[in-house]
Amino acid sequence: MSETPFGFGLPPEEPENGDEGKKKGNEGGQGGPANPFGFPGMGLPGGAGGAGGFGGADNPFAAMFGAMNPNDLGAAFQQLGQMLSYEGGPVNWDMAKDIARRTVAQGTADGVKDTSVGVAEKSAVEEAVRLADHWLDGVTSLPSGATTAVAWSRAEWVEATLPVWKELVDPVAERVGAAMGSVLPEEMQAMAGPLLGMMRSMGGAMFGQQIGQAVGVLAGEVVGSTDIGLPLGPAGKAALLPLNIEGFGKDLGVPSDEVRLYLALREAAHARLFAHVPWLRSHLFGAVEGYARGIKVDTSKLEDVVGQLDPSNPEQLQEALQGGMFQPEDTPEQKAALARLETALALVEGWVDAVVHEAAKPRLTSADAMRETMRRRRASGGPAEQTFATLIGLELRPRRLRDASRLWASLTDARGVDGRDGLWEHPDMLPTASDLDDPDGFVHREQLDFSEIDKMLGEAAEKREEDGDDKK
């Protein structure tokens, strides 16, 4: 670790003898007295710092200030002021939202710009979800979970999903915030209150930029609200993105209405599961948080990133953060947390895969091809996995999707739809990772019935409440 954490240096001594002292004070890339942050090479405008007086290539703010016209310079100072004045939680979500919206407005790499959803597209999505729900009625005992069907633009997807990203990312951002203070030498921490506050603001902005960029890019690729196996949208809404569905199906050789309907089946199946398995959402999010608690932060990497912070270049920051800042603890607890999460994701995706295929196979000629396309997209590490690996050091890839899908299909054959779906009544009834290794053993094993236990616990809780009321 360097002696000046995060690139902040101690104020240089006042030069004693004019130009010679100034020259001496600037040796080693340190700025003069007017450099309050101690960033290398940052001098007074018009001074020895190069173009615009802000230093050369080693100056992290040179790109931001060096060749700007007055309007750009004012905007940059405003952005820097917003960054340093932020006093909220571990992530500057206002900045994240702004950057995500601007990323969406720029369009995707293939030049496709976001557009408002037209009336015809809304009607097509509503009809696809309605028909998908009708087909699912015959292959699952879980009732419809979509009270409404919506067609979103990319910008609308950003707006609707940011609250859930906040819930997922904040626990890890908290750890980074704590790490930012821990890299200071112990003797400095007691007197570094203002500096720590500034670093927390920078950390919030750092995460805000990274998340905004990642979510903005992801908005150009997702086809619905459940692409990563977690419910990102509001409860009760089955959401599809017509513009992205068009791009997704462009080279598949499948009619566009079949592509839309197949994706509507997946969205509606996810909606049923999350609407009617009340513990599932908290189970998955709790697994993500449990895994996040075991993540270590590479403080030397963090120091380098913050020391070279360039608010005008989020792409550079993104590349730096992707270089391995997050490292999972190699402990039994962390391995168990990861196994729980991977198994839960595989079971969700496997159930959706099995149910959707059962509904689509007799009706869509493209069912097999669409199924394989979606399996490869999820298993090969698509945009969702890359986004989460960047944001919290976690891959949301259902590595055992095919195993889980085969197990659910076998359960359907052996126990019927009701017996299969009944396993979602309690988390302890679900298959484990070892059950995915021996699906036949699980399928034919007697399962515990937790319904009576839950009923007894509920009755006991009601009796305690009644006894408490009698004592008042």
Side-chain angles (χ1 to χ4, degrees):
M1 188 173 71
S2 70
E3 294 179 354
T4 54
F6 302 101
F8 291 94
L10 295 176
E13 295 180 0
E14 190 71 27
E16 296 178 356
N17 52 351
D19 292 339
E20 184 179 350
K22 291 178 183 178
K23 183 178 180 182
K24 180 179 179 182
N26 283 329
E27 285 177 359
Q30 292 299 321
N35 177 4
F37 297 109
F39 286 105
M42 185 173 176
L44 285 169
F54 286 99
D58 63 341
N59 174 9
F61 287 117
M64 181 174 177
F65 298 116
M68 289 185 175
N69 62 44
N71 291 334
D72 291 339
L73 186 59
F77 271 119
Q78 183 179 14
Q79 185 178 11
L80 182 60
Q82 290 174 346
M83 178 194 303
L84 297 179
S85 64
Y86 175 70
E87 297 180 350
V91 178
N92 188 331
W93 286 103
D94 290 337
M95 178 179 286
K97 178 179 176 180
D98 181 58
I99 290 175
R101 292 294 300 261
R102 283 192 276 119
T103 302
V104 165
Q106 291 169 2
T108 51
D110 57 3
V112 178
K113 299 279 188 178
D114 192 24
T115 58
S116 299
V117 180
V119 175
E121 291 172 317
K122 291 180 180 178
S123 297
V125 167
E126 291 171 357
E127 175 61 21
V129 173
R130 184 198 64 77
L131 184 56
D133 251 339
H134 176 65
W135 289 359
L136 289 171
D137 283 339
V139 296
T140 174
S141 62
L142 300 179
S144 174
T147 55
T148 56
V150 293
W152 284 340
S153 66
R154 294 166 179 170
E156 288 172 326
W157 182 89
V158 169
E159 294 279 353
T161 62
L162 271 179
V164 179
W165 289 116
K166 184 177 188 299
E167 187 176 348
L168 290 168
V169 174
D170 270 352
V172 179
E174 289 276 9
R175 294 186 61 79
V176 175
M180 291 181 79
S182 69
V183 300
L184 282 176
E186 203 170 304
E187 63 273 12
M188 288 183 61
Q189 293 189 20
M191 54 184 177
L195 180 59
L196 288 174
M198 184 182 297
M199 288 192 294
R200 279 192 293 269
S201 297
M202 282 184 156
M206 191 170 65
F207 258 100
Q209 285 188 331
Q210 173 69 351
I211 292 165
Q213 180 75 9
V215 170
V217 171
L218 191 58
E221 299 172 335
V222 294
V223 294
S225 70
T226 55
D227 282 38
I228 67 171
L230 298 174
L232 294 179
K237 285 189 177 180
L240 295 176
L241 283 72
L243 180 62
N244 291 356
I245 290 175
E246 181 183 350
F248 173 82
K250 184 170 60 174
D251 299 322
L252 295 181
V254 176
S256 59
D257 57 339
E258 285 200 19
V259 174
R260 185 191 309 113
L261 187 49
Y262 190 88
L263 296 177
L265 279 166
R266 288 184 54 83
E267 184 76 5
H270 277 103
R272 289 185 181 226
L273 202 54
F274 287 112
H276 299 292
V277 182
W279 54 265
L280 181 58
R281 187 184 190 279
S282 60
H283 179 74
L284 285 169
F285 281 62
V288 172
E289 187 173 351
Y291 181 82
R293 282 196 298 268
I295 290 176
K296 294 186 299 184
V297 178
D298 185 345
T299 52
S300 62
K301 181 73 175 179
L302 181 62
E303 180 183 340
D304 291 341
V305 170
V306 178
Q308 301 172 25
L309 187 64
D310 178 1
S312 71
N313 193 347
E315 292 82 5
Q316 182 186 39
L317 180 62
Q318 182 176 2
E319 292 173 4
L321 291 181
Q322 285 175 333
M325 176 183 290
F326 303 110
Q327 302 170 350
E329 292 271 14
D330 189 19
T331 63
E333 293 80 9
Q334 183 68 350
K335 290 177 180 177
L338 180 59
R340 285 193 300 270
L341 179 58
E342 288 184 340
T343 301
L345 286 170
L347 291 174
V348 168
E349 290 294 282
W351 183 88
V352 168
D353 178 79
V355 166
V356 167
H357 188 68
E358 191 176 352
K361 179 70 173 174
R363 300 176 174 95
L364 298 179
T365 57
S366 61
D368 289 332
M370 289 295 300
R371 183 188 205 186
E372 188 59 28
T373 297
M374 293 305 301
R375 281 181 166 185
R376 289 181 179 179
R377 189 174 192 251
R378 287 296 281 127
S380 63
E385 178 196 338
Q386 295 163 12
T387 297
F388 248 79
T390 297
L391 295 182
I392 62 172
L394 175 63
E395 295 178 353
L396 283 179
R397 180 167 57 184
R399 300 176 186 276
R400 308 198 64 181
L401 167 60
R402 294 176 189 269
D403 293 337
S405 182
R406 282 194 291 268
L407 188 147
W408 287 118
S410 297
L411 282 167
T412 307
D413 294 339
R415 303 185 187 183
V417 168
D418 291 342
R420 177 200 66 198
D421 293 347
L423 294 178
W424 291 106
E425 290 180 4
H426 196 284
D428 290 342
M429 296 176 68
L430 287 177
T432 64
S434 60
D435 292 325
L436 295 179
D437 296 327
D438 180 23
D440 289 337
F442 179 84
V443 167
H444 300 292
R445 186 190 313 152
E446 285 295 325
Q447 296 293 307
L448 294 174
D449 185 359
F450 285 83
S451 59
E452 287 301 317
I453 297 176
D454 288 341
K455 182 179 178 182
M456 291 170 60
L457 290 174
E459 291 174 349
E462 290 177 4
K463 188 175 187 306
R464 284 196 300 271
E465 291 178 3
E466 292 173 359
D467 292 343
D469 291 338
D470 292 341
K471 294 177 181 178
K472 291 181 180 178

